[in-house]
Amino acid sequence: MNDMTDEERQLVEWLADMNEDDALALAKRMLLEDKKNPMRVLELCRAAMDIVGKRFEEGEYFLPELVLAGEMLETIGAIAKPLIKLGDGGEAKKHGKVLIGTVHGDLHDIGKNIVSFMLDINGFEVKDIGVDVPVRTFIDEINTWQPDVVGLSGFLTLAFESMKETIAAFESAGMRDKFKVMIGGGQIDDTVKNYTGADAFGVNAVEAVALCRRWMGVAA
Amino acid sequence: MNAPAASAAYDQRWQRIQDCINLKQPDRMPVALYSTFWLAKYGGITCKQLMYDYEKTKEIAERAVLEFEPDVISTLLLTVASGRSLEAIGFKQLQWPGHGVGDNQPFQYLDREYMKADEYDEFIFDPTGYYLHTYLPRVAEAFEGFEELPNFPGLHYFRLVGSVRSFANPRVRAAFENVFKAAEESERFFQHHVQFMARMASLGYPATNGTTGVSPYDFIADYFRGATGMMKDLFRNKDKLLQLLDKVAVFLLRQIIPTAKASGNPIVFIPIHWAPDAFMSPKQFETFWWPSFRKMLIGLIDVGLVPMPLWEADCTKRLEVIKDVPAGKCIYWFERTDMVKAFEVLGDVVALRGNLSPSLLTTGKPDEVDAAVKHLVDNVWNQGGKLILDAAFGLPDETPVENVRAMFDAARKYAG
Ligand code: B12
């Protein structure tokens, strides 16, 4: 996005710099008063989120920035989406479909949300099915949504067992070879990967993106 | 073991911990037994039984202590047997067996916004009033009704005499009755704990800590604002947050110091949630997290107590900052921070505790546990590190008993 007006560049900068008040005020003005194309505004948000993602990868930003960025994006999205009319231009191309959820018995969702956020801003179509997800729900979602990658998140040691069970159920349902399985969360490491039968584990959201890129054959 | 022998064994074990704290060489590497729901697995009972059956839980805990002969033990009963007390007070921040989770699941904390962003001013201005009218009824059913209590500051003369009628309000009365019932159960629970720890002491086993604490940041993040609410406050309510952190450090000290003194054990266990490398930038850490916590550490040290923070997750990038405490006064327990690295940075400042990995303990084989202990002995203990061996955050609930045996056996085999 090189062809930005000064105002547009300002919005991207404020969003990327966590200047929430100014960014939201400007986005609202652009959408509601100046009647700018809502697709354009969302594109600007995406550009800002790219910067946020980069800063996170480079160790300049941490969780708090991602949480705030996610929330700014949500706020603007909620205003912009109802304004989108047919012919405003379609959704950006997606690299592949990733289904993600926290396995049963586990309620931790911050890590998973960050992974969803990072995959989303990196061009993947993400479906997040929440926390404490029963094995059955994973199977049903996979059947209807046909993801390319399934991500299991878990932070408790009891999640090792839940992950193993969930992956074994993919096996018994005869669907295990239809998608890749990645796991992650605080305690997850290589030992757990082997124990559960996942294809890979990722220590953070950046690795989650790298794994999906590799599997989908997308260049970084 | 007869009483004098047990008493001598107690002294020997406690001396090892003292030596570690004072950065002196103990006669061998001490090993801690810290468990939450692992005792259910060990004793072959459900998590629910462990939470509700005081006698059974004491019996299983005693059996474990006698089997492994640790140098120090956690407050084994107090940590898990809270079922009846939670029920009596109608505690809303946890789910536990029979109350939201199955009989064989551990209790779990619910991450919610228990204090709203626009309540900072009220909390800062009048913490006690905020507790009485807002926080307590929100987190425990027994206190529902306290909303109707009068505002105490400002009561005077005939206004005081008249305002006492609030206590005749049926909701307030009911609340007091519920609180009295909860208090009775809580007192029973506490007496079981005291009695259990006294029995362990009489058998020769000291406790790892007398009481627990919390860092000011974690206190607000976990119990008031919720995980994401707090992260947003770093931007949206920065100044108020800093003001509250300062205040919280003071009232937490007022909570901790008398309980620690009453327990007779100087060690204060402080599990730490929000310090890890991934959770905030070094600058945010040094602005929001560390200053109020350091103030607390020094406050504890100044009255002769020994803080034992458990730095959860990976805190490698924090080591240089948290090193800023007087030498020989604290135990730093690390969960996932590489212990060798921690020793290199902090070895001449604090005693260390930890940190066999949870995935290894739950899914590994005894010989792998043995190797992991040997690694810590070779690279920390034998290099002069004052290490108290433990798992990363006590024994994971699912740890097979043979891996616990391997941990204790290896400690004796490699480090006395
Ligand atoms: C925050 C937190 C909570 C919050 C959760 C809030 C929420 N909405 O999620 C609350 C307070 C509610 C909570 C509750 C509990 N918790 Co908790 N919690 C934590 C804590 C401090 C941080 C976890 C976190 O969110 N990290 C933030 C994320 C973003 O950090 P991260 O790990 O770097 O995230 C990256 C990776 O994990 C990865 N990732 C994550 N998911 C995925 C998925 C895939 C596919 C991939 C590739 C990568 C990936 O990408 C992320 C982004 O970069 C950890 C300790 C710790 N320091 O890790 C304990 C911890 C996980 N909790 C623990 C426990 C015990 C509990 C409770 C049982 C406590 C209790 N008795 O109430 C309950 C359990 C509730 C339940 N059933 O789940 C233990 C688990 C111990 C064990 N052996 O099982 C821990 C390790 C603390 C400890 N040392 O004891 N907890």
Side-chain angles (χ1 to χ4, degrees), chain A residues 56 63 100 105-112 114-115 151-153 155-158 182-187 202-205 208 211, chain B residues 94 107-111 222 227 273-274 276 278-279 312-313 335 393 396:
Chain A
F56 178 71
L63 279 190
I100 189 165
D106 202 321
L107 305 174
H108 293 83
D109 66 356
I110 305 171
K112 168 185 66 62
I114 300 296
V115 172
L152 306 180
S153 183
F155 281 75
L156 302 170
T157 36
L158 70 80
M182 60 175 183
I183 60 173
Q187 317 272 342
V203 292
N204 55 35
L211 286 171
Chain B
L94 275 185
F107 56 69
Q108 54 185 26
Y109 188 74
L110 300 171
D111 178 37
D222 282 338
H273 243 152
W274 291 106
F279 290 4
E312 278 186 16
E335 193 203 4
F393 191 144

Short mmCIF file of all heavy atoms in Angstrom, two decimals, chain A residues 56 63 100 105-112 114-115 151-153 155-158 182-187 202-205 208 211, chain B residues 94 107-111 222 227 273-274 276 278-279 312-313 335 393 396, ligand 1:
data_model
loop_
_atom_site.label_atom_id
_atom_site.label_comp_id
_atom_site.label_asym_id
_atom_site.label_seq_id
_atom_site.Cartn_x
_atom_site.Cartn_y
_atom_site.Cartn_z
N PHE A 56 6.01 -7.41 16.73
CA PHE A 56 5.91 -8.53 17.66
C PHE A 56 6.99 -9.56 17.34
O PHE A 56 7.73 -10.01 18.21
CB PHE A 56 4.52 -9.16 17.58
CG PHE A 56 4.31 -10.35 18.47
CD1 PHE A 56 4.23 -10.20 19.85
CD2 PHE A 56 4.19 -11.63 17.94
CE1 PHE A 56 4.03 -11.31 20.68
CE2 PHE A 56 3.99 -12.74 18.76
CZ PHE A 56 3.92 -12.57 20.13
N LEU A 63 2.63 -9.15 24.35
CA LEU A 63 1.20 -9.45 24.44
C LEU A 63 0.29 -8.23 24.55
O LEU A 63 -0.72 -8.16 23.87
CB LEU A 63 0.92 -10.32 25.67
CG LEU A 63 1.17 -11.80 25.56
CD1 LEU A 63 0.59 -12.47 26.80
CD2 LEU A 63 0.48 -12.33 24.34
N ILE A 100 -8.93 -23.71 14.79
CA ILE A 100 -8.16 -23.72 16.03
C ILE A 100 -9.07 -23.70 17.26
O ILE A 100 -10.16 -23.12 17.22
CB ILE A 100 -7.16 -22.52 16.06
CG1 ILE A 100 -6.20 -22.64 17.23
CG2 ILE A 100 -7.89 -21.19 16.07
CD1 ILE A 100 -5.00 -21.72 17.13
N GLY A 105 -11.08 -29.54 28.83
CA GLY A 105 -10.49 -29.47 30.16
C GLY A 105 -9.65 -28.23 30.37
O GLY A 105 -9.24 -27.93 31.48
N ASP A 106 -9.40 -27.49 29.31
CA ASP A 106 -8.51 -26.33 29.40
C ASP A 106 -9.24 -25.06 28.97
O ASP A 106 -9.92 -25.06 27.95
CB ASP A 106 -7.28 -26.58 28.51
CG ASP A 106 -6.08 -25.74 28.92
OD1 ASP A 106 -6.28 -24.57 29.30
OD2 ASP A 106 -4.96 -26.25 28.87
N LEU A 107 -9.11 -24.01 29.78
CA LEU A 107 -9.83 -22.76 29.49
C LEU A 107 -8.91 -21.63 29.05
O LEU A 107 -9.36 -20.51 28.82
CB LEU A 107 -10.58 -22.28 30.75
CG LEU A 107 -11.54 -23.24 31.43
CD1 LEU A 107 -12.07 -22.63 32.72
CD2 LEU A 107 -12.70 -23.57 30.50
N HIS A 108 -7.63 -21.89 28.96
CA HIS A 108 -6.70 -20.81 28.60
C HIS A 108 -6.94 -20.40 27.14
O HIS A 108 -6.92 -21.24 26.26
CB HIS A 108 -5.25 -21.27 28.77
CG HIS A 108 -4.89 -21.51 30.21
ND1 HIS A 108 -5.17 -22.68 30.85
CD2 HIS A 108 -4.25 -20.71 31.12
CE1 HIS A 108 -4.73 -22.60 32.10
NE2 HIS A 108 -4.17 -21.41 32.29
N ASP A 109 -7.13 -19.11 26.92
CA ASP A 109 -7.38 -18.72 25.53
C ASP A 109 -6.53 -17.57 25.03
O ASP A 109 -6.60 -17.22 23.86
CB ASP A 109 -8.86 -18.43 25.31
CG ASP A 109 -9.36 -17.20 26.07
OD1 ASP A 109 -8.58 -16.61 26.84
OD2 ASP A 109 -10.53 -16.86 25.90
N ILE A 110 -5.72 -16.97 25.88
CA ILE A 110 -4.96 -15.80 25.41
C ILE A 110 -3.98 -16.21 24.31
O ILE A 110 -3.91 -15.58 23.26
CB ILE A 110 -4.21 -15.13 26.57
CG1 ILE A 110 -5.19 -14.77 27.69
CG2 ILE A 110 -3.51 -13.87 26.10
CD1 ILE A 110 -4.51 -14.29 28.96
N GLY A 111 -3.26 -17.29 24.54
CA GLY A 111 -2.27 -17.76 23.56
C GLY A 111 -2.94 -18.12 22.24
O GLY A 111 -2.48 -17.74 21.16
N LYS A 112 -4.04 -18.84 22.35
CA LYS A 112 -4.78 -19.23 21.15
C LYS A 112 -5.26 -18.01 20.38
O LYS A 112 -5.17 -17.95 19.16
CB LYS A 112 -5.97 -20.10 21.54
CG LYS A 112 -6.96 -20.33 20.43
CD LYS A 112 -8.17 -21.10 20.89
CE LYS A 112 -9.04 -20.35 21.90
NZ LYS A 112 -9.63 -19.10 21.45
N ILE A 114 -4.00 -15.08 20.29
CA ILE A 114 -2.88 -14.42 19.62
C ILE A 114 -2.51 -15.19 18.34
O ILE A 114 -2.24 -14.58 17.30
CB ILE A 114 -1.64 -14.38 20.56
CG1 ILE A 114 -1.96 -13.60 21.84
CG2 ILE A 114 -0.44 -13.79 19.85
CD1 ILE A 114 -2.27 -12.16 21.67
N VAL A 115 -2.53 -16.50 18.45
CA VAL A 115 -2.22 -17.31 17.27
C VAL A 115 -3.26 -17.03 16.17
O VAL A 115 -2.92 -16.79 15.01
CB VAL A 115 -2.18 -18.82 17.62
CG1 VAL A 115 -2.06 -19.67 16.37
CG2 VAL A 115 -1.00 -19.11 18.55
N GLY A 151 -5.29 -26.55 14.56
CA GLY A 151 -4.41 -26.14 15.66
C GLY A 151 -5.06 -26.45 17.00
O GLY A 151 -6.21 -26.09 17.23
N LEU A 152 -4.32 -27.14 17.85
CA LEU A 152 -4.83 -27.45 19.19
C LEU A 152 -3.99 -26.66 20.19
O LEU A 152 -2.77 -26.74 20.18
CB LEU A 152 -4.70 -28.94 19.50
CG LEU A 152 -5.31 -29.93 18.51
CD1 LEU A 152 -5.08 -31.36 18.98
CD2 LEU A 152 -6.79 -29.66 18.31
N SER A 153 -4.68 -25.93 21.04
CA SER A 153 -3.97 -25.17 22.05
C SER A 153 -4.27 -25.77 23.42
O SER A 153 -5.34 -26.33 23.64
CB SER A 153 -4.43 -23.70 21.99
OG SER A 153 -3.71 -22.92 22.92
N PHE A 155 -2.71 -25.36 27.81
CA PHE A 155 -1.68 -24.87 28.74
C PHE A 155 -1.49 -25.75 29.95
O PHE A 155 -0.52 -25.61 30.69
CB PHE A 155 -2.03 -23.44 29.19
CG PHE A 155 -1.67 -22.42 28.16
CD1 PHE A 155 -2.45 -22.27 27.02
CD2 PHE A 155 -0.55 -21.62 28.30
CE1 PHE A 155 -2.12 -21.34 26.06
CE2 PHE A 155 -0.20 -20.68 27.34
CZ PHE A 155 -0.99 -20.54 26.21
N LEU A 156 -2.42 -26.63 30.18
CA LEU A 156 -2.34 -27.48 31.37
C LEU A 156 -1.70 -28.81 31.00
O LEU A 156 -1.82 -29.26 29.86
CB LEU A 156 -3.74 -27.74 31.92
CG LEU A 156 -4.54 -26.50 32.30
CD1 LEU A 156 -5.99 -26.86 32.61
CD2 LEU A 156 -3.92 -25.83 33.52
N THR A 157 -1.09 -29.47 31.99
CA THR A 157 -0.54 -30.79 31.68
C THR A 157 -1.68 -31.76 31.31
O THR A 157 -1.46 -32.67 30.53
CB THR A 157 0.29 -31.36 32.85
OG1 THR A 157 -0.30 -30.98 34.07
CG2 THR A 157 1.70 -30.84 32.80
N LEU A 158 -2.88 -31.53 31.84
CA LEU A 158 -3.97 -32.43 31.46
C LEU A 158 -4.32 -32.30 29.99
O LEU A 158 -4.92 -33.19 29.39
CB LEU A 158 -5.20 -32.24 32.36
CG LEU A 158 -6.07 -30.99 32.32
CD1 LEU A 158 -7.04 -30.99 31.15
CD2 LEU A 158 -6.86 -30.88 33.61
N MET A 182 -1.16 -29.00 14.25
CA MET A 182 -0.11 -28.35 15.04
C MET A 182 -0.65 -28.11 16.44
O MET A 182 -1.85 -27.90 16.64
CB MET A 182 0.34 -27.04 14.40
CG MET A 182 -0.75 -26.01 14.25
SD MET A 182 -0.05 -24.47 13.62
CE MET A 182 -1.51 -23.43 13.61
N ILE A 183 0.25 -28.20 17.41
CA ILE A 183 -0.16 -27.96 18.79
C ILE A 183 0.72 -26.88 19.40
O ILE A 183 1.83 -26.62 18.91
CB ILE A 183 -0.09 -29.25 19.64
CG1 ILE A 183 1.33 -29.82 19.68
CG2 ILE A 183 -1.06 -30.29 19.12
CD1 ILE A 183 1.50 -30.99 20.65
N GLY A 184 0.24 -26.28 20.47
CA GLY A 184 1.03 -25.26 21.15
C GLY A 184 0.37 -24.84 22.45
O GLY A 184 -0.76 -25.25 22.75
N GLY A 185 1.08 -24.04 23.21
CA GLY A 185 0.60 -23.59 24.52
C GLY A 185 1.75 -23.72 25.50
O GLY A 185 2.71 -24.46 25.24
N GLY A 186 1.67 -23.03 26.62
CA GLY A 186 2.76 -22.93 27.58
C GLY A 186 3.66 -24.14 27.79
O GLY A 186 4.87 -24.05 27.70
N GLN A 187 3.06 -25.29 28.11
CA GLN A 187 3.87 -26.45 28.50
C GLN A 187 4.26 -27.34 27.32
O GLN A 187 4.92 -28.35 27.50
CB GLN A 187 3.09 -27.33 29.48
CG GLN A 187 2.34 -26.60 30.55
CD GLN A 187 3.21 -26.36 31.76
OE1 GLN A 187 4.24 -26.99 31.95
NE2 GLN A 187 2.82 -25.39 32.57
N GLY A 202 4.45 -25.46 18.00
CA GLY A 202 5.04 -24.14 17.83
C GLY A 202 5.13 -23.45 19.17
O GLY A 202 4.18 -23.51 19.94
N VAL A 203 6.28 -22.84 19.46
CA VAL A 203 6.41 -22.19 20.77
C VAL A 203 5.68 -20.86 20.82
O VAL A 203 5.35 -20.38 21.90
CB VAL A 203 7.87 -21.93 21.21
CG1 VAL A 203 8.59 -23.21 21.51
CG2 VAL A 203 8.62 -21.08 20.22
N ASN A 204 5.44 -20.27 19.65
CA ASN A 204 4.71 -19.00 19.69
C ASN A 204 3.94 -18.79 18.40
O ASN A 204 3.98 -19.63 17.49
CB ASN A 204 5.66 -17.83 19.97
CG ASN A 204 6.80 -17.79 18.96
OD1 ASN A 204 6.62 -18.11 17.79
ND2 ASN A 204 7.97 -17.39 19.42
N ALA A 205 3.25 -17.66 18.32
CA ALA A 205 2.38 -17.40 17.19
C ALA A 205 3.18 -17.23 15.89
O ALA A 205 2.69 -17.56 14.81
CB ALA A 205 1.55 -16.15 17.46
N ALA A 208 3.67 -20.57 14.64
CA ALA A 208 2.41 -21.10 14.12
C ALA A 208 2.23 -20.62 12.68
O ALA A 208 1.85 -21.40 11.79
CB ALA A 208 1.24 -20.64 14.99
N LEU A 211 4.72 -22.45 10.39
CA LEU A 211 4.29 -23.83 10.12
C LEU A 211 3.22 -23.84 9.03
O LEU A 211 3.32 -24.60 8.06
CB LEU A 211 3.72 -24.47 11.39
CG LEU A 211 4.71 -24.88 12.47
CD1 LEU A 211 3.97 -25.28 13.74
CD2 LEU A 211 5.59 -26.03 11.98
N LEU B 94 -13.92 -19.62 41.30
CA LEU B 94 -13.36 -20.94 40.98
C LEU B 94 -14.48 -21.87 40.57
O LEU B 94 -15.61 -21.76 41.04
CB LEU B 94 -12.71 -21.56 42.21
CG LEU B 94 -11.28 -21.26 42.61
CD1 LEU B 94 -10.91 -22.13 43.81
CD2 LEU B 94 -10.28 -21.50 41.49
N PHE B 107 -9.54 -27.98 40.57
CA PHE B 107 -10.30 -26.72 40.53
C PHE B 107 -9.68 -25.79 39.51
O PHE B 107 -8.52 -25.93 39.14
CB PHE B 107 -10.38 -26.07 41.91
CG PHE B 107 -9.08 -25.79 42.61
CD1 PHE B 107 -8.21 -24.82 42.15
CD2 PHE B 107 -8.72 -26.51 43.76
CE1 PHE B 107 -7.02 -24.55 42.81
CE2 PHE B 107 -7.53 -26.24 44.42
CZ PHE B 107 -6.68 -25.26 43.95
N GLN B 108 -10.47 -24.86 39.04
CA GLN B 108 -9.95 -23.93 38.05
C GLN B 108 -10.46 -22.52 38.26
O GLN B 108 -11.62 -22.30 38.57
CB GLN B 108 -10.26 -24.42 36.64
CG GLN B 108 -11.72 -24.70 36.37
CD GLN B 108 -11.91 -25.31 34.98
OE1 GLN B 108 -11.03 -25.93 34.42
NE2 GLN B 108 -13.07 -25.09 34.43
N TYR B 109 -9.56 -21.59 38.09
CA TYR B 109 -9.88 -20.19 38.29
C TYR B 109 -10.54 -19.61 37.05
O TYR B 109 -10.18 -19.95 35.93
CB TYR B 109 -8.59 -19.41 38.59
CG TYR B 109 -8.85 -17.98 39.00
CD1 TYR B 109 -9.35 -17.69 40.26
CD2 TYR B 109 -8.63 -16.93 38.12
CE1 TYR B 109 -9.63 -16.38 40.64
CE2 TYR B 109 -8.90 -15.63 38.49
CZ TYR B 109 -9.39 -15.36 39.75
OH TYR B 109 -9.66 -14.06 40.12
N LEU B 110 -11.50 -18.73 37.25
CA LEU B 110 -12.20 -18.13 36.12
C LEU B 110 -11.71 -16.70 35.89
O LEU B 110 -11.84 -15.85 36.76
CB LEU B 110 -13.70 -18.13 36.38
CG LEU B 110 -14.30 -19.53 36.58
CD1 LEU B 110 -15.76 -19.42 37.05
CD2 LEU B 110 -14.21 -20.34 35.30
N ASP B 111 -11.14 -16.51 34.72
CA ASP B 111 -10.58 -15.21 34.37
C ASP B 111 -11.69 -14.27 33.90
O ASP B 111 -12.18 -14.40 32.80
CB ASP B 111 -9.54 -15.42 33.26
CG ASP B 111 -8.92 -14.13 32.79
OD1 ASP B 111 -8.69 -13.25 33.63
OD2 ASP B 111 -8.65 -13.99 31.58
N ASP B 222 -4.95 -10.69 38.07
CA ASP B 222 -5.68 -11.95 38.22
C ASP B 222 -7.02 -11.78 38.91
O ASP B 222 -8.02 -12.35 38.49
CB ASP B 222 -4.86 -12.95 39.05
CG ASP B 222 -3.75 -13.59 38.23
OD1 ASP B 222 -3.87 -13.60 36.99
OD2 ASP B 222 -2.78 -14.09 38.82
N ALA B 227 -7.10 -10.88 32.81
CA ALA B 227 -5.87 -10.88 32.02
C ALA B 227 -5.88 -9.81 30.93
O ALA B 227 -4.97 -8.98 30.85
CB ALA B 227 -5.66 -12.25 31.41
N HIS B 273 2.66 -14.76 38.20
CA HIS B 273 1.96 -15.03 36.94
C HIS B 273 2.42 -14.19 35.76
O HIS B 273 2.58 -14.68 34.67
CB HIS B 273 0.48 -14.70 37.15
CG HIS B 273 -0.42 -15.86 37.02
ND1 HIS B 273 -1.62 -15.94 37.67
CD2 HIS B 273 -0.34 -16.99 36.29
CE1 HIS B 273 -2.23 -17.06 37.36
NE2 HIS B 273 -1.46 -17.72 36.54
N TRP B 274 2.55 -12.90 35.97
CA TRP B 274 2.60 -11.99 34.81
C TRP B 274 3.98 -11.41 34.51
O TRP B 274 4.07 -10.45 33.75
CB TRP B 274 1.55 -10.89 34.99
CG TRP B 274 0.20 -11.47 34.87
CD1 TRP B 274 -0.68 -11.68 35.88
CD2 TRP B 274 -0.42 -12.01 33.69
NE1 TRP B 274 -1.81 -12.31 35.40
CE2 TRP B 274 -1.67 -12.53 34.07
CE3 TRP B 274 -0.02 -12.11 32.34
CZ2 TRP B 274 -2.54 -13.14 33.17
CZ3 TRP B 274 -0.89 -12.72 31.44
CH2 TRP B 274 -2.13 -13.22 31.86
N PRO B 276 6.66 -13.16 33.03
CA PRO B 276 7.44 -13.80 31.97
C PRO B 276 7.81 -12.90 30.79
O PRO B 276 7.10 -11.94 30.48
CB PRO B 276 6.53 -14.94 31.51
CG PRO B 276 5.70 -15.27 32.69
CD PRO B 276 5.49 -13.97 33.41
N ALA B 278 7.57 -13.15 27.69
CA ALA B 278 6.64 -12.95 26.57
C ALA B 278 5.53 -11.97 26.91
O ALA B 278 4.83 -11.50 26.03
CB ALA B 278 6.04 -14.28 26.14
N PHE B 279 5.36 -11.68 28.20
CA PHE B 279 4.14 -10.98 28.59
C PHE B 279 4.18 -9.47 28.50
O PHE B 279 3.16 -8.82 28.48
CB PHE B 279 3.71 -11.39 30.00
CG PHE B 279 3.22 -12.80 30.08
CD1 PHE B 279 3.26 -13.62 28.97
CD2 PHE B 279 2.71 -13.31 31.25
CE1 PHE B 279 2.81 -14.93 29.02
CE2 PHE B 279 2.25 -14.62 31.31
CZ PHE B 279 2.31 -15.43 30.20
N GLU B 312 7.02 -17.89 37.15
CA GLU B 312 6.43 -18.81 36.18
C GLU B 312 6.93 -18.56 34.77
O GLU B 312 7.36 -17.48 34.43
CB GLU B 312 4.90 -18.66 36.19
CG GLU B 312 4.26 -19.45 37.30
CD GLU B 312 2.73 -19.44 37.22
OE1 GLU B 312 2.17 -19.08 36.17
OE2 GLU B 312 2.13 -19.77 38.23
N ALA B 313 6.79 -19.61 33.98
CA ALA B 313 7.16 -19.59 32.55
C ALA B 313 8.64 -19.20 32.40
O ALA B 313 9.45 -19.44 33.29
CB ALA B 313 6.23 -18.70 31.75
N GLU B 335 10.28 -21.67 37.04
CA GLU B 335 9.49 -22.71 36.41
C GLU B 335 10.14 -23.19 35.12
O GLU B 335 10.60 -24.31 35.03
CB GLU B 335 8.05 -22.22 36.17
CG GLU B 335 7.13 -23.37 35.81
CD GLU B 335 5.89 -22.93 35.05
OE1 GLU B 335 5.75 -21.76 34.69
OE2 GLU B 335 5.07 -23.81 34.77
N PHE B 393 6.66 -26.52 38.89
CA PHE B 393 5.72 -25.86 39.81
C PHE B 393 5.14 -26.99 40.66
O PHE B 393 3.97 -27.31 40.58
CB PHE B 393 4.61 -25.14 39.03
CG PHE B 393 3.76 -24.23 39.88
CD1 PHE B 393 3.27 -23.04 39.36
CD2 PHE B 393 3.43 -24.56 41.19
CE1 PHE B 393 2.48 -22.18 40.13
CE2 PHE B 393 2.65 -23.71 41.97
CZ PHE B 393 2.17 -22.53 41.43
N PRO B 396 3.42 -32.11 38.78
CA PRO B 396 2.20 -32.05 37.97
C PRO B 396 1.22 -33.13 38.45
O PRO B 396 1.64 -34.21 38.88
CB PRO B 396 2.69 -32.36 36.56
CG PRO B 396 4.14 -32.01 36.56
CD PRO B 396 4.62 -32.29 37.96
C1 B12 C 1 -2.99 -16.46 32.29
C2 B12 C 1 -3.03 -17.80 32.96
C3 B12 C 1 -4.25 -18.21 33.45
C4 B12 C 1 -5.50 -17.41 33.28
C5 B12 C 1 -6.08 -17.73 31.89
C6 B12 C 1 -6.74 -16.55 31.25
C7 B12 C 1 -7.21 -16.88 29.88
N1 B12 C 1 -8.29 -16.26 29.53
O1 B12 C 1 -6.62 -17.61 29.11
C8 B12 C 1 -6.35 -17.98 34.42
C9 B12 C 1 -6.06 -17.13 35.64
C10 B12 C 1 -7.84 -18.04 34.21
C11 B12 C 1 -5.73 -19.35 34.60
C12 B12 C 1 -6.39 -20.41 35.16
C13 B12 C 1 -5.79 -21.61 35.44
N2 B12 C 1 -4.48 -21.90 35.30
CO1 B12 C 1 -3.28 -20.82 34.33
N3 B12 C 1 -1.91 -19.78 33.66
C14 B12 C 1 -1.89 -18.61 33.09
C15 B12 C 1 -0.45 -18.24 32.74
C16 B12 C 1 0.06 -17.23 33.73
C17 B12 C 1 -0.24 -17.66 31.39
C18 B12 C 1 -0.82 -18.43 30.24
C19 B12 C 1 -1.03 -17.50 29.08
O2 B12 C 1 -2.13 -17.12 28.72
N4 B12 C 1 0.01 -17.04 28.47
C20 B12 C 1 -0.03 -16.08 27.43
C21 B12 C 1 0.40 -16.69 26.15
C22 B12 C 1 0.09 -15.78 24.99
O3 B12 C 1 1.78 -16.90 26.24
P1 B12 C 1 2.59 -18.00 25.43
O4 B12 C 1 2.52 -19.32 26.05
O5 B12 C 1 3.92 -17.43 25.15
O6 B12 C 1 1.72 -18.07 24.09
C23 B12 C 1 2.26 -18.54 22.90
C24 B12 C 1 2.36 -20.05 22.80
O7 B12 C 1 1.74 -20.71 23.85
C25 B12 C 1 1.79 -20.35 21.46
N5 B12 C 1 0.54 -21.08 21.38
C26 B12 C 1 -0.54 -21.06 22.15
N6 B12 C 1 -1.49 -21.84 21.66
C27 B12 C 1 -1.02 -22.36 20.53
C28 B12 C 1 -1.59 -23.23 19.62
C29 B12 C 1 -0.85 -23.62 18.52
C30 B12 C 1 -1.47 -24.55 17.54
C31 B12 C 1 0.49 -23.16 18.33
C32 B12 C 1 1.27 -23.62 17.18
C33 B12 C 1 1.04 -22.28 19.25
C34 B12 C 1 0.29 -21.90 20.33
O8 B12 C 1 1.56 -19.10 20.82
C35 B12 C 1 1.28 -18.14 21.83
C36 B12 C 1 1.46 -16.73 21.31
O9 B12 C 1 2.79 -16.46 20.91
C37 B12 C 1 0.27 -19.63 32.87
C38 B12 C 1 1.67 -19.61 33.39
C39 B12 C 1 2.63 -19.19 32.41
N7 B12 C 1 3.36 -18.22 32.80
O10 B12 C 1 2.69 -19.73 31.31
C40 B12 C 1 -0.61 -20.37 33.86
C41 B12 C 1 -0.71 -21.88 33.80
C42 B12 C 1 -0.83 -22.35 32.37
N8 B12 C 1 -1.95 -22.13 34.51
C43 B12 C 1 -1.91 -23.17 35.28
C44 B12 C 1 -2.95 -23.62 36.09
C45 B12 C 1 -2.65 -24.77 37.01
C46 B12 C 1 -4.18 -23.01 36.03
C47 B12 C 1 -5.40 -23.42 36.85
C48 B12 C 1 -5.67 -24.89 36.99
C49 B12 C 1 -5.21 -22.73 38.18
C50 B12 C 1 -6.31 -22.95 39.09
N9 B12 C 1 -6.15 -23.92 39.93
O11 B12 C 1 -7.28 -22.29 39.00
C51 B12 C 1 -6.52 -22.74 36.06
C52 B12 C 1 -7.02 -23.70 34.99
C53 B12 C 1 -8.19 -23.26 34.21
C54 B12 C 1 -8.38 -24.22 33.08
N10 B12 C 1 -9.07 -25.33 33.27
O12 B12 C 1 -7.86 -23.99 32.04
C55 B12 C 1 -0.58 -23.85 35.21
C56 B12 C 1 -0.59 -25.15 34.47
C57 B12 C 1 0.21 -26.18 35.25
C58 B12 C 1 0.02 -27.55 34.80
N11 B12 C 1 1.02 -28.34 35.11
O13 B12 C 1 -0.95 -27.94 34.23
C59 B12 C 1 0.32 -22.73 34.63
C60 B12 C 1 1.50 -23.21 33.81
C61 B12 C 1 0.80 -21.96 35.83
C62 B12 C 1 1.63 -22.84 36.72
N12 B12 C 1 2.91 -22.86 36.56
O14 B12 C 1 1.11 -23.50 37.56
N13 B12 C 1 -4.47 -19.36 34.15
#
